[in-house]
Amino acid sequence: MAIMKFAPQALKNLFLKPVTTTYPAEPYVYPERSRGHIEISIDDCISCGMCVRACPCGTLSVDRAKGTWSIDRMDCIACGFCVEKCPKKCLTMVPGYQTPGGDKKTEVFQKSPEVMAAEEAKRKEAAEKAKAAAAAKAAAAAAAKAEGQETPAQ
Amino acid sequence: MGKRSVIPYGPQHPVLPEPVHIDLVVEDERVVEAIPSIGFIHRGLESLVDRRDFNQMTYVAERTCGICSFQHGMGYCEAVEHIMGVEVPDRAKFLRTLWAETSRMHSHLLWLGLLADGFGFENLFYQCWRVREKVLDIQEMTAGGRLIFSVNKVGGVLKDVTDDQLKFILATMDEVEAELKVIKETFFEDYSVKSRLVGVGVLTAEQINALGAVGPFARASGVNVDMRKLGYAAYPHIDFEPITSNDGDCYARCYVRMMEVFQSIDIIRQVIAKMPAEKDLAVAVKGNPDGEYFMRVEQPRGEAFYYVKGNGTPNLERMRIRTPTFANIPGLCEMLKNTELADIGLLILTIDPCISCTER
Ligand code: SF4
Ligand code: SF4
């Protein structure tokens, strides 16, 4: 009789502690790999926009001039493609799901002023260097031209 | 002949959360004809190909279904890999097989629970779902999501399963097997279960072949179709035989799915034993897909069919998914003929319908 086979299991269940937990009173421990939400260490971001182009949902946006990175948490499907694509590895997928909310909010991360200033300085330096290099090149070209003109005259 | 009337069944009904809609033509209490209509939850996933590139489509394909999500992603990736001539590293193939089988286990356990709920055996329903939870824990631990894995990419997989995790999986498999043995006895031998399932909704092998049914639904009628035998992922290295039954009734469908859970446990053990030690998980993929390919994978519900056509640009030209439930609906309508109205819920359940992925 199969009912006899199931009866011990059913009786056992009466005395086992519940399989379910009383979340959120008893917090859930997520495994390390759990794909909860995206976090960014914003000061490492170079505003390249690779994550924006990778995201299948179009939840991300980057503003290089303002130094911001923003995400619509509600639209994110926690796929982790942006994390994979980021060249600076400044995005991470961390455990812990988003709390549900009544409306869509865009979360904006802003780079610190020091980093912005440093970046600005770097950009200026790079621009100057490029200018100098261009000037040097032009000079070299002019010299070569002059030389070239001299040669056939001989 | 009694008076005929039409009873609209669904899209919302008490048996299952799937929004299947069927018009039942009944004569007294007997169903004489069943006319399905689908399209209530069409999402237009296939048309996203012109706005998402082929790498992003992996994540879209995966979200076709919440239960066999892994196999959707895998089917899509394998199709693109074939077009591009990419050879996936062996370890990635074995990991894909591992995850494909845990998906099958949890899907079948879900179905067995729903079946028990369908014939009113609440306790058995809870037992099945309690066991299923352990499989979900494996998935959450290894892939980071309980149901949506997001570990596939064109060229391989994104995450490795560590040796400790493999040991944990083996230990869990032992636990699950022990607990399932108790549940199995009840499903196979209990008087009340048998009285609801034996001899109900019989389809013969000829009918199955004529209507093109797939998966456990077809195997329960003695049609030996299993796409895993085509040898994608690591299945050529695995020793297994498809499980079939000749009865073609609801009991046979329950038998096939229950035995497939045990088979999956066995396959997972083989996969772990044969797992290659190399650490390569993916190969770099260059360029865009140009060409077309048909990929067939065996999902928990049966054969899923992927057609992918690329034209050398990042966006594919066409992607078509034919899910197993779509192939099983004609069989379902045939099966519903000449049955009692009271059995309808249970009968629809026995094809394991997944309407959300049918309508994509
Ligand atoms: S996790 Fe996926 S959906 Fe979310 S922001 Fe990153 S790419 Fe977009
Ligand atoms: S890919 Fe990384 S570095 Fe580039 S914008 Fe996004 S977060 Fe910043």
Side-chain angles (χ1 to χ4, degrees), chain A residues 13 28 33 35 53-54 56, chain B residues 52 56 127 140 142 149 160:
Chain A
N13 289 339
Y28 181 65
R33 289 188 184 180
R35 296 196 320 278
R53 282 191 290 276
Chain B
R52 303 281 181 264
Q56 293 174 329
Q127 299 305 316
E140 189 177 18
T142 54
F149 287 62
D160 194 10

Side-chain angles (χ1 to χ4, degrees), chain A residues 38 51 54-60 69 71 75-83 93:
Chain A
I38 296 284
C51 51
C55 179
C57 311
T59 64
L60 301 177
W69 181 91
I71 178 167
D75 289 349
C76 172
I77 55 172
C79 62
F81 198 31
C82 52
V83 179
M93 181 67 84

Side-chain angles (χ1 to χ4, degrees), chain A residues 1-13 16 19 28-36 51-58 77-82 84-85 93 97, chain B residues 52-53 55-56 59-60 62-63 99 121 123-124 127 130 133 137 140-146 148-151 153 158-162 165 179 182-183 185-186 189-191:
Chain A
M1 280 275 288
I3 187 81
M4 286 300 139
K5 291 199 174 103
F6 195 67
Q9 180 68 36
L11 280 175
K12 209 166 89 193
N13 289 339
L16 286 177
V19 192
Y28 181 65
V29 186
Y30 295 102
E32 196 188 325
R33 289 188 184 180
S34 174
R35 296 196 320 278
C51 51
V52 180
R53 282 191 290 276
C55 179
C57 311
I77 55 172
C79 62
F81 198 31
C82 52
E84 201 200 327
K85 284 282 170 179
M93 181 67 84
Y97 300 122
Chain B
R52 303 281 181 264
D53 74 26
N55 282 317
Q56 293 174 329
Y59 300 102
V60 176
E62 205 173 49
R63 279 155 181 82
W99 278 314
F121 202 151
N123 201 334
L124 196 54
Q127 299 305 316
R130 193 186 49 151
E133 207 59 28
D137 285 346
E140 189 177 18
M141 180 187 72
T142 54
R146 281 160 55 85
I148 306 280
F149 287 62
S150 291
V151 286
K153 72 169 194 176
L158 290 168
K159 287 180 184 148
D160 194 10
V161 179
T162 61
Q165 288 174 337
E179 293 196 19
V182 180
I183 298 175
E185 301 276 342
T186 311
E189 283 164 37
D190 192 278
Y191 169 75

Side-chain angles (χ1 to χ4, degrees), chain B residues 94-144:
Chain B
F94 275 82
L95 288 174
R96 280 182 180 175
T97 314
L98 174 75
W99 278 314
E101 290 306 317
T102 59
S103 312
R104 192 179 319 280
M105 279 178 77
H106 94 75
S107 172
H108 282 352
L109 284 168
L110 173 108
W111 179 83
L112 287 163
L114 287 175
L115 180 77
D117 187 42
F119 54 64
F121 202 151
E122 290 287 323
N123 201 334
L124 196 54
F125 160 58
Y126 290 123
Q127 299 305 316
C128 292
W129 281 37
R130 193 186 49 151
V131 177
R132 176 176 179 254
E133 207 59 28
K134 295 191 173 166
V135 185
L136 294 185
D137 285 346
I138 293 179
Q139 297 180 170
E140 189 177 18
M141 180 187 72
T142 54

Side-chain angles (χ1 to χ4, degrees), chain B residues 160-171:
Chain B
D160 194 10
V161 179
T162 61
D163 290 344
D164 287 345
Q165 288 174 337
L166 289 178
K167 275 193 204 112
F168 175 81
I169 295 175
L170 281 179

